[in-house]
Amino acid sequence: MYYILFYKTTEDYLEKRGAYRPEHLELINSYHAKGDLVMAGALAEPADSAVFIFKGDNTQAAEAFANNDPYVKNGLIVEWKVRPWNVVAGGE
């Protein structure tokens, strides 16, 4: 099963993320290396959101990621949620 972690960022996210970006990317890479995180990225135009695709039996990895993300811990994310995703094409 796939799960999407949605982030909504602060308006000054781009200006403030630099201090936390290396740790954020390290967290992304660690979850990707374990196979929990399939892909991730920020949305553009406007840069106000990000999306992370997780694969697993439940929401645990996605929720743990958000709870440990320096962007969340330092207030750059104003809201996050995890939703199951019923994939009908791709995702092999």
Side-chain angles (χ1 to χ4, degrees):
M1 179 66 139
Y2 289 89
Y3 297 90
I4 303 177
L5 169 61
F6 296 93
Y7 274 3
K8 182 177 178 185
T9 63
T10 60
E11 288 189 25
D12 58 357
Y13 153 77
L14 291 176
E15 292 81 20
K16 291 186 174 179
R17 72 178 180 172
Y20 313 107
R21 191 160 171 75
E23 187 181 350
H24 171 73
L25 293 175
E26 184 179 318
L27 187 66
I28 286 173
N29 290 330
S30 71
Y31 273 76
H32 186 261
K34 290 188 294 187
D36 293 330
L37 181 61
V38 178
M39 64 180 74
L43 301 178
E45 301 177 24
D48 62 354
S49 308
V51 177
F52 304 80
I53 309 296
F54 287 84
K55 187 174 183 181
D57 296 329
N58 54 51
T59 63
Q60 186 176 358
E63 291 172 355
F65 178 92
N67 286 319
N68 289 294
D69 188 350
Y71 285 5
V72 172
K73 290 179 176 182
N74 290 284
L76 297 173
I77 306 305
V78 295
E79 178 184 336
W80 64 267
K81 64 182 174 184
V82 178
R83 298 208 35 207
W85 185 25
N86 295 315
V87 176
V88 297
E92 289 84 35

